[in-house]
Amino acid sequence: MSRPLFIVPEHEFEAQLGLPEPLPKGEVLLWQGSPEWRTLAVHAFHVRKLAVYFAFILLLRTLFVLSEGGNVVELAISLAILTPLAGISVGLMALMAWLTARTSMYTITDQRIVMRIGIVLSVTFNLPFKSLDSVGLKRFTNGTGDLALTIGGNDHIAYLHLWPHARPWKFAKPEPMLRSIAEVATVANTLSQAMKAATGGVAITIKQTQAPAAEANGQQRDGWATAA
């Protein structure tokens, strides 16, 4: 009996870590992991860009006060409101990244990918390999990276249900994404082998920037290597 494409239950107690129910007999757990929260904070919650933005605003405020002939005391008073606001804003985004990583669990078996996500309302998405058209890989300099999953046919998951576990700017056809995974190349290789065994064809090719020959197996778009 085939499983439904998506299982989205709310659950308080997991039968198995990251899974709403124990794996069926014969299905093998290959990998489990959660986002690396610091990388998630930078690439999903944009704390670095936010910090630069507030630093620019504070710099402009400082220049304005000094150009008006203000002294050190006036400058300190002028920055007394903006500085805590900047710290709180960046801190809240970092906290959201930490909570997101803490409450998320990605699972790869020899048959499917399971995503348990949600800070307040926990939901689980079940993605059998046969439901996927392709997988995209994006690597960061620290060895972490993202794996974006393109769902085939007319099936889809709403972008807001997935965020921040969704490929940015893919609103019309949202792509679930395993975000900020540590040692993403190893995880991608595990996924590739599992999908190859399950479907009979290579589903993802890891593109190495220093190996141009790999481009023959995948397409590079905006830093993403994709293969079907």
Side-chain angles (χ1 to χ4, degrees), residues 26-69:
E27 187 171 356
V28 180
L29 177 64
L30 301 177
W31 175 85
Q32 280 190 316
S34 300
E36 200 287 310
W37 79 268
R38 294 175 183 82
T39 306
L40 191 69
V42 171
H43 294 282
F45 292 91
H46 306 290
V47 293
R48 186 179 295 168
K49 295 177 183 177
L50 192 61
V52 171
Y53 167 79
F54 277 112
F56 180 70
I57 295 297
L58 291 172
L59 176 61
L60 288 181
R61 186 61 181 171
T62 299
L63 294 176
F64 175 77
V65 173
L66 294 178
S67 67
E68 293 293 314

Side-chain angles (χ1 to χ4, degrees), residues 3-226:
R3 301 187 190 92
L5 177 59
F6 308 122
I7 302 174
V8 193
E10 177 184 358
H11 56 274
E12 297 178 355
F13 303 100
E14 294 175 325
Q16 187 172 339
L17 179 63
L19 301 170
E21 58 186 13
L23 290 177
K25 185 177 180 180
E27 187 171 356
V28 180
L29 177 64
L30 301 177
W31 175 85
Q32 280 190 316
S34 300
E36 200 287 310
W37 79 268
R38 294 175 183 82
T39 306
L40 191 69
V42 171
H43 294 282
F45 292 91
H46 306 290
V47 293
R48 186 179 295 168
K49 295 177 183 177
L50 192 61
V52 171
Y53 167 79
F54 277 112
F56 180 70
I57 295 297
L58 291 172
L59 176 61
L60 288 181
R61 186 61 181 171
T62 299
L63 294 176
F64 175 77
V65 173
L66 294 178
S67 67
E68 293 293 314
N71 54 35
V72 175
V73 175
E74 291 173 332
L75 177 61
I77 294 174
S78 177
L79 299 180
I81 296 177
L82 287 178
T83 302
L85 178 61
I88 291 172
S89 299
V90 174
L92 284 176
M93 290 297 100
L95 177 61
M96 283 293 295
W98 181 81
L99 289 173
T100 299
R102 183 178 175 84
T103 56
S104 301
M105 179 62 67
Y106 306 136
T107 302
I108 298 176
T109 75
D110 61 345
Q111 298 295 324
R112 54 181 165 151
I113 299 171
V114 183
M115 301 172 63
R116 186 255 282 155
I117 61 175
I119 296 176
V120 178
L121 177 63
S122 182
V123 296
T124 302
F125 296 105
N126 178 66
L127 301 164
F129 293 153
K130 63 183 180 181
S131 71
L132 303 178
D133 273 353
S134 64
V135 179
L137 167 66
K138 186 173 186 177
R139 300 178 64 182
F140 305 124
T141 55
N142 64 353
T144 64
D146 301 331
L147 291 172
L149 315 173
T150 303
I151 301 173
N154 296 322
D155 295 305
H156 72 280
I157 306 174
Y159 191 90
L160 291 179
H161 291 168
L162 287 168
W163 191 88
H165 310 269
R167 185 171 174 179
W169 311 113
K170 294 289 183 176
F171 301 118
K173 184 73 171 178
E175 297 181 12
M177 191 158 71
L178 312 188
R179 299 207 71 154
S180 303
I181 301 171
E183 299 181 356
V184 68
T186 301
V187 178
N189 184 60
T190 299
L191 178 59
S192 175
Q193 296 302 316
M195 297 184 79
K196 181 179 180 180
T199 64
V202 176
I204 178 172
T205 298
I206 303 173
K207 181 180 182 300
Q208 304 287 350
T209 55
Q210 69 271 24
E215 295 181 4
N217 297 320
Q219 298 176 337
Q220 183 77 6
R221 301 196 309 271
D222 302 327
W224 289 87
T226 63

